Amino acid sequence: MNVLVTGGCGFIGSNLVRHLRAERPDLTVVNLDLLTYAGNLENLRELEGDPGHVFVRGDIGDRELVESLLERHRIDSVLHLAAESHVDRSILGPELFVRTNVLGTQILLEACYRKKVRRFVMVSTDEVYGSLGPTGAFTETSPIQPSSPYSASKASSDLLALAFHHTFGLDVVVTRCSNNYGPYQFPEKLIPLMVVNALHDEALPVYGDGGNVRDWLHVEDHCRALVTVLEQGRAGEVYNIGGGAEQRNLDLVRMLLATLRKPESLIRFVQDRPGHDRRYAIDPAKIRTELGWRPRRTFQQGLEATVRWYVDNPDWWKHVKSGAYRQYYETQYRGRLGG
Ligand code: NAD
Ligand code: TDX
């Protein structure tokens, strides 16, 4: 049987493709990825020569390509991860987020409906719920109140996917997960950015007062949840996926520095992200009770293993940090780090 993973060269996508090949070797994975700045084929180097992984470079918004691919490979199910994924980039330029996340998803959904794909898993985010106060957690029925252009575009694609279920009967399941961490994450996101900067003894830019809270989920636990939802989720349903590991950003950065034996004097409080959501927390009761999924990694184990991975793989992030990433970095932090 063939599954299509979109965005399979990104952080979560590449971990998912590897996970599927290891845990479901009977499935052939077709990986459609445009290889934007965030997509890196090196993430899947281990799978070179594996006939069970078919890479196709292309855009989810290319209707003809998507339809012919679904047909040619007789795709049974789709795991849709391709997206513009970084909140700060969406603040610098929202248009691409609408094009990729909203229009791209709509084109993909329509193609799946026309080509009679059996199941469509829409990988959404907890950011669609907006920000929490100091207590409580998001459930699947929490109001949709996105704050950033990124989360607004994800909310649009998430709701479009559900609309394709309600209106056209496409078998859609939506997942909304919390912040992922683990190997192969692009060093623009909090954890890899801080680890790489600390390894260079460079300043660690903490937004605002560092009191914002994220609920961390190891990418491997997320991949297991996605396979569970693909195989057992109920059509038309939404499943929150969370790691149960809430951390204030500042505490997390301190943990990273302690793990790396680097001084806290590297921390710099910088101008806050506009519209910065204060706190996310996931109530994962539904996926736990209905589908029996729960995270296996503790945050401490997962974080230590992740730091070790970046320490052991400098070639990976040095390569990633060259070129387009560098340019983006300059724009994002110009004037914020004092030089
Ligand atoms: P990422 O930015 O690392 O990877 C995105 C991938 O999509 C890249 O490989 C990129 O080349 C590809 N892509 C972008 N535009 C494309 C297009 N038009 N056509 C085909 N491919 C395209 O993102 P990630 O962190 O791995 O996130 C994957 C998905 O999970 C996204 O949908 C994101 O919204 C969602 N998500 C991520 C997190 C997280 O913490 N990283 C949390 C919740 C939800
Ligand atoms: O330099 C930084 N300094 C800083 O303080 C960066 C990059 C981030 N932060 C803060 C902002 C957030 O409170 O750290 C927290 C995490 O930031 P990001 O890594 O940018 O993640 P976030 O904005 O929470 O969004 C992530 O989780 C939900 C993913 O990027 C999204 O794709 C996902 O939907």
Side-chain angles (χ1 to χ4, degrees), residues 327-339:
Q327 223 175 323
Y328 158 74
Y329 188 91
E330 301 303 344
T331 316
Q332 175 61 18
Y333 293 104
R334 191 188 299 138
R336 281 181 162 188
L337 288 174

Side-chain angles (χ1 to χ4, degrees), residues 10-12 33-34 36 39 58-60 81 85 124 150 154 177 180:
F11 162 48
I12 301 173
D33 196 300
L34 187 57
T36 67
D59 191 334
I60 52 165
L81 290 89
S85 70
S124 182
Y150 162 71
K154 289 297 287 187
C177 67
N180 281 226

Side-chain angles (χ1 to χ4, degrees), residues 72-303:
R72 187 155 27 96
H73 294 284
R74 297 172 196 276
I75 297 295
D76 174 77
S77 314
V78 173
L79 288 147
H80 176 38
L81 290 89
E84 285 297 327
S85 70
H86 193 38
V87 173
D88 292 322
R89 285 179 189 263
S90 82
I91 296 167
L92 293 173
E95 190 174 322
L96 183 58
F97 285 72
V98 175
R99 205 177 325 136
T100 299
N101 300 357
V102 186
L103 198 56
T105 300
Q106 189 271 326
I107 289 168
L108 190 63
L109 283 163
E110 208 173 298
C112 289
Y113 171 64
R114 285 162 58 88
K115 297 298 172 191
K116 300 188 170 51
V117 163
R118 189 183 56 80
R119 165 149 284 193
F120 187 100
V121 178
M122 168 72 211
V123 178
S124 182
T125 169
D126 62 354
E127 296 199 16
V128 302
Y129 299 121
S131 187
L132 287 166
T135 58
F138 299 127
T139 70
E140 288 78 359
T141 55
S142 297
I144 304 291
Q145 284 176 335
S147 317
S148 69
Y150 162 71
S151 51
S153 72
K154 289 297 287 187
S156 308
S157 55
D158 167 324
L159 296 176
L160 263 175
L162 289 171
F164 265 75
H165 173 71
H166 295 298
T167 307
F168 303 113
L170 183 66
D171 181 325
V172 168
V173 194
V174 172
T175 62
R176 296 181 185 146
C177 67
S178 57
N179 286 60
N180 281 226
Y181 70 102
Y184 299 101
Q185 186 166 31
F186 196 85
E188 65 187 350
K189 306 283 167 44
L190 181 71
I191 290 179
L193 181 114
M194 297 296 172
V195 171
V196 169
N197 280 18
L199 287 172
H200 285 111
D201 296 310
E202 282 175 10
L204 308 193
V206 172
Y207 295 164
D209 64 0
N212 301 66
V213 174
R214 296 294 181 263
D215 180 354
W216 294 94
L217 171 68
H218 193 275
V219 67
E220 188 59 29
D221 280 325
H222 185 203
C223 292
R224 255 191 324 106
L226 291 177
V227 175
T228 304
V229 167
L230 173 70
E231 295 175 343
Q232 302 171 45
R234 284 186 296 134
E237 293 292 320
V238 175
Y239 294 92
N240 282 354
I241 308 171
E246 278 186 59
Q247 299 290 337
R248 289 166 72 233
N249 291 340
L250 185 56
D251 297 334
L252 171 51
V253 169
R254 287 191 172 132
M255 260 184 251
L256 293 172
L257 287 170
T259 310
L260 290 164
R261 295 173 200 280
K262 294 284 183 178
E264 291 197 3
S265 57
L266 288 175
I267 294 174
R268 295 281 187 289
F269 291 96
V270 299
Q271 192 191 330
D272 208 355
R273 170 186 283 174
H276 196 176
D277 285 335
R278 190 67 178 168
R279 176 171 165 263
Y280 303 143
I282 284 268
D283 177 352
K286 182 172 172 181
I287 190 168
R288 195 176 57 224
T289 52
E290 247 189 51
L291 308 182
W293 174 90
R294 63 184 67 227
R296 286 186 187 153
R297 299 240 186 179
T298 66
F299 185 61
Q300 186 153 2
Q301 285 168 348
L303 195 67

